[in-house]
């Protein structure tokens, strides 16, 4: 089936894949790579090649830094109100084109159209939110404790930013960085994941149409991110690295950025616990579990990775979760009624299969799913595993797929200790009707974000980020996100 055949009349806004694949976006121009090399973009629901995009070279990377540097003085001098209006226009255009963008995300990433629609709304909101932030950047003024002078603190754009994003939210992970960077007055180079470049390029065309001047946003796709990143970070004009991706790559980039002492924001991997106490509202906990586990088919850094369920509610929760997971429709993302699309690559499916096999070998019981399907596309069935051993690899590793492992616990202390038994600390979920316990457990769990009786934490208006090896810094939130793209300048003066 072609993509057009898979898209039903209800969502007939077809993306222009050829336009999205027309080139690298440098200095407001669509350019081929200087090497002439190209990257295949694959449809995960079939394994077929959807498009090719240029594979940037080091020379292309240098050209994008030059473009960002040339655009920087006038962008930082652009009045905040004007910057705000351009960002607002980006939001409006994204909403106008939301069906096209959602389809494009679904086609290249594989996620279910309903998840892609949610992503576009979330991604666009970063522009609306930061349009409002752009005109609210204020400094500080005070008297030094000695009384001898005044302290003025001015917030200035940090400089040229390198933004590196993953494939799992190809729109939102980019706008979560671009919108605050532009609001702060910075110019940027975006390096999206090579699995999902089309969304990044389609968005670049929207920024241009909204009035973002040439050179302010540059987009580069490459299959050699290490050397390209090293080249960009070696340029002393580049002052910021904002990365979203795996903890392993984040560690390497921190070391690379250390050479020029570049400011780093890191949104890294997660291993979210989902804790259900005996007194939880069972239906609410199951609804929340389905969102926390199955948004994006489990390919989310905030995805519930370990379900800790108290003994008294364990059997009912396990049965309820298996019933709901086995009722999900697995299929190509662009089909309107798909609940669970394919994973991003064959390698990702194999990793999930390996983790499930390991859990089974260590005593896990399969309540639904659990077998690697054959056939085209990179599918894995929604799976629930009961009685999973804490020694299983999936207790420590991100599953990044539609697999829910259940662990039993008895006491609150045990639940907190198990939840914290990981190097990660991004998101956590807690279900209980006892508010005092909910707040106590939320306080005890080592994570940057807690969803208390909810299955979702992401919100552009809230600070998103992790503790421990899940990252450094915050994105979104009141002033948190934009602050990552500004430097405080202190002026001491007397009068
Ligand atoms: P990844 O780390 O493999 O890749 C992320 C990005 O880094 C991609 O653009 C990739 O091309 C680039 N990259 C890879 N190697 C690089 C190198 N040596 N130098 C420079 N860039 C390099 O991650 P992924 O598989 O694309 O995404 C999944 C991971 O991202 C998961 O671990 C997930 O938890 C994490 N993630 C975190 C958040 C968050 O907000 N904390 C959000 C989404 C995803």
């Amino acid at each position: 089936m072609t993509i057009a055949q898979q898209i039903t009349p209800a969502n007939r806004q077809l993306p222009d894949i050829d336009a999205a694949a027309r080139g690298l976006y440098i200095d407001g121009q669509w350019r081929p790579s200087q090497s002439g090399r190209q990257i295949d973009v694959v449809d995960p629901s079939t394994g077929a090649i959807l498009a090719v995009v240029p594979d940037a070279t080091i020379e292309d990377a240098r050209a994008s830094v030059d473009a960002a540097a040339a655009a920087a003085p006038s962008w930082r001098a652009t009045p905040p109100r004007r910057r705000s209006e351009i960002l607002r226009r980006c939001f409006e255009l994204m909403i106008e084109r939301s069906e096209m963008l959602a389809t494009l995300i679904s086609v290249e990433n594989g996620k279910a159209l309903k998840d892609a629609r949610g992503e576009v709304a979330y991604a666009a909101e970063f522009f609306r939110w930061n349009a409002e932030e752009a005109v609210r950047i204020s400094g500080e003024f005070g008297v030094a404790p000695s009384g001898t002078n005044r302290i003025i603190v001015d917030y200035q754009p940090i400089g040229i930013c390198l933004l590196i994003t993953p494939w799992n939210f190809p729109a939102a992970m980019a706008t979560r960085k671009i919108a605050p960077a532009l609001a702060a007055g910075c110019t940027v180079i975006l390096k999206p994941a090579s699995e999902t470049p089309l969304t990044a390029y389609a968005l670049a065309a929207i920024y241009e149409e909204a009035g973002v001047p040439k050179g302010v946003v540059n987009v580069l796709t490459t299959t050699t991110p290490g050397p390209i990143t090293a080249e960009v970070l070696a340029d002393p004009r580049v002052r910021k690295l904002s990365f979203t991706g795996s903890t392993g790559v984040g560690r390497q980039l921190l070391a690379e950025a250390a050479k020029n002492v570049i400011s780093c924001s890191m949104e890294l991997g997660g291993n979210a616990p989902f804790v259900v106490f005996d007194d939880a509202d069972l239906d609410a906990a199951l609804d929340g579990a389905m969102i926390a586990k199955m948004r994006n088919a489990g390919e989310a850094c905030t995805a519930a990775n370990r379900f800790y369920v108290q003994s008294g509610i364990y059997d009912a929760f396990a049965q309820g979760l298996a019933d709901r997971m086995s009722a999900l429709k697995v299929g190509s993302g662009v089909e309107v009624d798909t609940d669970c699309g394919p994973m991003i690559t064959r390698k990702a499916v194999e990793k999930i299969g390996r983790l499930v096999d390991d859990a089974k070998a260590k005593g896990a019981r399969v309540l639904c799913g659990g077998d690697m399907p054959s056939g085209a596309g990179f599918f894995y069935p929604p799976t629930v595993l009961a009685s999973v051993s804490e020694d299983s690899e999936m207790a420590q590793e991100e599953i990044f797929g539609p697999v829910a492992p259940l662990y039993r616990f008895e006491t609150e202390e045990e639940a907190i200790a198990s939840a914290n038994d990981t190097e990660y600390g991004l998101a956590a979920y807690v279900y209980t009707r006892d508010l005092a316990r909910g707040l106590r457990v939320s306080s005890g769990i080592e994570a940057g974000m807690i969803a208390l009786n909810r299955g979702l934490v992401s919100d552009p208006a809230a600070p998103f980020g992790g503790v421990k090896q899940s990252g450094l810094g915050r994105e979104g939130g009141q002033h948190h996100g934009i602050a990552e793209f500004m430097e405080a300048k202190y002026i001491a003066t007397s009068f």
Side-chain angles (χ1 to χ4, degrees), residues 162-169 173 176-177 191-195 222-230 241 243-250 252-253 266-271 299-302 344 351 398 400 424 426 449 464-466 470-471 475:
L162 174 61
L163 315 176
I164 303 179
T165 51
W167 48 263
N168 66 336
F169 289 92
M173 296 303 95
R176 198 165 79 176
K177 298 182 189 307
K191 197 220 75 63
S194 53
E195 294 85 351
T222 177
T223 53
T224 51
I228 295 270
T229 300
L241 168 64
F243 171 74
T244 298
S246 59
T247 296
V249 173
Q252 289 175 35
L253 289 173
M266 293 274 147
E267 295 287 351
L268 307 177
N271 183 7
E299 291 180 317
C301 52
T302 50
I344 189 72
K351 177 191 167 185
E398 276 187 298
F400 239 59
Y424 296 107
L426 190 61
M449 299 172 288
F464 187 107
S470 285
E475 293 190 320

Side-chain angles (χ1 to χ4, degrees), residues 67-133:
S74 70
W75 183 246
R76 72 187 280 153
T78 300
R81 173 61 68 205
R82 179 72 196 128
R83 290 206 296 263
S84 168
E85 283 164 349
I86 293 172
L87 295 181
R88 171 80 198 187
R89 190 70 194 126
C90 291
F91 161 73
E92 289 165 356
L93 288 174
M94 281 187 72
I95 296 299
E96 271 172 33
R97 317 268 162 86
S98 57
E99 210 46 38
M100 177 280 287
L101 289 169
T103 307
L104 185 57
I105 292 171
S106 186
V107 166
E108 70 170 344
N109 166 282
K111 70 175 70 177
L113 192 59
K114 57 184 93 166
D115 284 330
R117 288 176 175 149
E119 181 183 348
V120 175
Y122 176 52
E125 190 59 28
F126 284 104
F127 280 110
R128 177 158 66 173
W129 180 259
N130 284 288
E132 292 155 359
E133 289 289 291

Side-chain angles (χ1 to χ4, degrees), residues 237-423:
R237 295 172 293 179
V238 175
R239 295 311 314 150
K240 178 82 197 181
L241 168 64
S242 179
F243 171 74
T244 298
S246 59
T247 296
V249 173
R251 283 191 198 105
Q252 289 175 35
L253 289 173
L254 283 166
E256 194 67 46
K259 293 177 186 164
N260 268 4
V261 193
I262 286 171
S263 164
C264 289
S265 299
M266 293 274 147
E267 295 287 351
L268 307 177
N271 183 7
F274 189 105
V275 183
V276 186
F277 286 94
D278 282 346
D279 69 346
D281 175 331
L282 179 61
D283 282 334
L286 288 167
D287 288 347
M290 291 303 290
I291 298 168
K293 179 73 254 179
M294 291 307 294
R295 188 168 70 112
N296 251 17
E299 291 180 317
C301 52
T302 50
N305 208 54
R306 299 168 290 152
F307 288 81
Y308 293 106
V309 188
Q310 206 166 13
S311 273
I313 201 171
Y314 185 93
D315 290 339
F317 183 87
Q319 190 56 55
L321 193 62
D323 290 347
R324 289 175 189 229
M325 290 284 272
S326 46
L328 295 178
K329 181 167 182 298
V330 178
S332 159
V334 289
E335 284 169 34
V336 172
D337 57 348
T338 291
D339 298 305
C340 178
M343 304 294 100
I344 189 72
T345 54
R346 171 76 54 209
K347 198 167 150 220
V349 179
E350 285 167 2
K351 177 191 167 185
I352 297 165
R354 177 179 61 74
L355 290 175
V356 170
D357 288 348
D358 169 75
K360 286 199 270 188
K362 290 175 180 154
R365 279 185 301 120
V366 178
L367 302 188
C368 67
D371 284 319
M372 189 97 84
S374 52
F378 312 140
F379 293 95
Y380 197 88
T383 296
V384 179
L385 302 175
S387 310
V388 179
S389 161
E390 296 265 9
D391 295 335
S392 301
E393 286 175 41
M394 64 171 63
Q396 293 301 330
E397 260 194 65
E398 276 187 298
I399 302 168
F400 239 59
V403 177
L406 305 183
Y407 307 82
R408 192 185 289 265
F409 75 88
E410 303 294 338
T411 67
E412 185 178 314
E413 294 68 30
E414 199 191 322
I416 294 174
S418 295
N420 289 341
D421 183 16
T422 169
E423 66 184 19

